[in-house]
Amino acid sequence: MATVNQMIETACTLVGQPYLWGGNGETLEDIIRAYADSKGQGKSATDDMIKFLRNIIPVTLSSVHFQDCSGFIVETLRKIGAIKNTWDGTAEDIYKKCQKIDKPCKGAFAFYWNGKKHNHIGMCLDDTTVIHCLSVNTGVIIEPIQKRKDKWVDFGLPTWCIDFSFDTITLKNNVFVYRTAQDAETKPTTATKVEYAKGDYFIYKTHGNCVNISKRKDVAGGWISNSDLRNAT
């Protein structure tokens, strides 16, 4: 399964790519061929047209990929092998498959809500920054979540296709971790807790608004709430 870092690194390579409603990473050549086919033009004639266009716009024809907001997410996941090339979905489709969380964090998907459905999607690079394919005027951009804070209303982790367990974090301060996610969130006075020293840790698992961090990537560690984790990183 692909990792959070792979997903984010691949998404960032698409910055500047243009927006096209319904686009899923198609090139200009793909679009021209589809249009020609819809008009009944034969393959040979289309090949000749493409050859002619390559002499005029050789780079743009094959290097620019078009996508809409969900198409950008789908294209990123396809590139890293997280989903099949045949899978497609809207922002609402993707939201339904995600593990719901309350706040943005690295690797989470962010969603607009129009009162009836989730109609826009982006990807959180961390808890303050999002990358998304916004509009025909911007294409794929990176910007602060705060810039559209009233629109980014829902967040979810794509645990159905991305492995969050082996992502890493660096604690800048010592923190207390708990035996269960529930204890990490509610912090009852009777709960067992252990102090973890600052340093690098693996994210072993996520649950709700809590994260399990460990010094070993394949062994469970202690639970910490997202809010406590943000204060320590």
Side-chain angles (χ1 to χ4, degrees):
M1 188 177 280
T3 67
V4 175
N5 286 338
Q6 286 177 312
M7 179 178 68
I8 287 177
E9 289 168 5
T10 300
C12 289
T13 66
L14 299 177
V15 169
Q17 296 291 330
Y19 179 101
L20 176 67
W21 187 83
N24 273 320
E26 294 87 354
T27 64
L28 184 56
E29 179 178 338
D30 294 331
I31 295 169
I32 292 171
R33 287 187 179 278
Y35 178 79
D37 184 63
S38 72
K39 295 299 182 180
Q41 179 168 284
K43 183 178 183 301
S44 179
T46 302
D47 287 344
D48 289 340
M49 179 177 64
I50 293 296
K51 187 181 297 183
F52 171 76
L53 290 172
R54 285 190 184 283
N55 293 325
I56 303 174
I57 47 174
V59 176
T60 305
L61 195 64
S62 58
S63 65
V64 174
H65 294 255
F66 295 80
Q67 53 263 304
D68 59 12
C69 65
S70 58
F72 160 64
I73 298 296
V74 168
E75 175 68 5
T76 298
L77 297 178
R78 285 176 179 170
K79 281 179 174 292
I80 60 175
I83 59 174
K84 295 180 179 179
N85 287 336
T86 54
W87 193 90
D88 193 11
T90 64
E92 181 68 17
D93 294 331
I94 297 172
Y95 177 76
K96 289 178 179 178
K97 295 176 72 68
C98 287
Q99 176 185 327
K100 312 309 182 286
I101 57 176
D102 291 337
K103 297 180 180 180
C105 66
K106 180 181 177 181
F109 291 161
F111 300 87
Y112 286 11
W113 172 256
N114 68 1
K116 294 182 179 180
K117 64 179 181 179
H118 294 92
N119 63 334
H120 187 67
I121 182 174
M123 181 190 302
C124 299
L125 303 184
D126 51 38
D127 60 355
T128 63
T129 314
V130 65
I131 180 172
H132 60 138
C133 192
L134 177 60
S135 70
V136 294
N137 296 318
T138 66
V140 179
I141 57 171
I142 296 174
E143 62 180 8
I145 293 174
Q146 186 74 9
K147 186 173 182 178
R148 305 176 201 278
K149 63 178 182 178
D150 295 333
K151 293 188 175 182
W152 298 118
V153 296
D154 288 314
F155 302 92
L157 298 177
T159 51
W160 52 282
C161 63
I162 297 296
D163 186 358
F164 281 75
S165 61
F166 295 158
D167 195 14
T168 59
I169 59 168
T170 300
L171 298 179
K172 296 179 181 178
N173 306 306
N174 291 8
V175 298
F176 283 106
V177 298
Y178 295 80
R179 188 172 60 85
T180 68
Q182 182 177 355
D183 286 349
E185 188 160 15
T186 60
K187 300 181 178 62
T189 55
T190 57
T192 301
K193 61 182 181 180
V194 177
E195 187 173 24
Y196 275 15
K198 61 183 180 181
D200 296 329
Y201 290 83
F202 288 99
I203 295 179
Y204 176 75
K205 190 177 183 181
T206 62
H207 180 76
N209 292 316
C210 298
V211 180
N212 189 289
I213 61 175
S214 175
K215 275 295 185 181
R216 294 176 57 185
K217 68 181 182 180
D218 54 350
V219 176
W223 288 95
I224 183 173
S225 68
N226 284 333
S227 58
D228 288 344
L229 190 60
R230 281 194 293 272
N231 291 334
T233 56

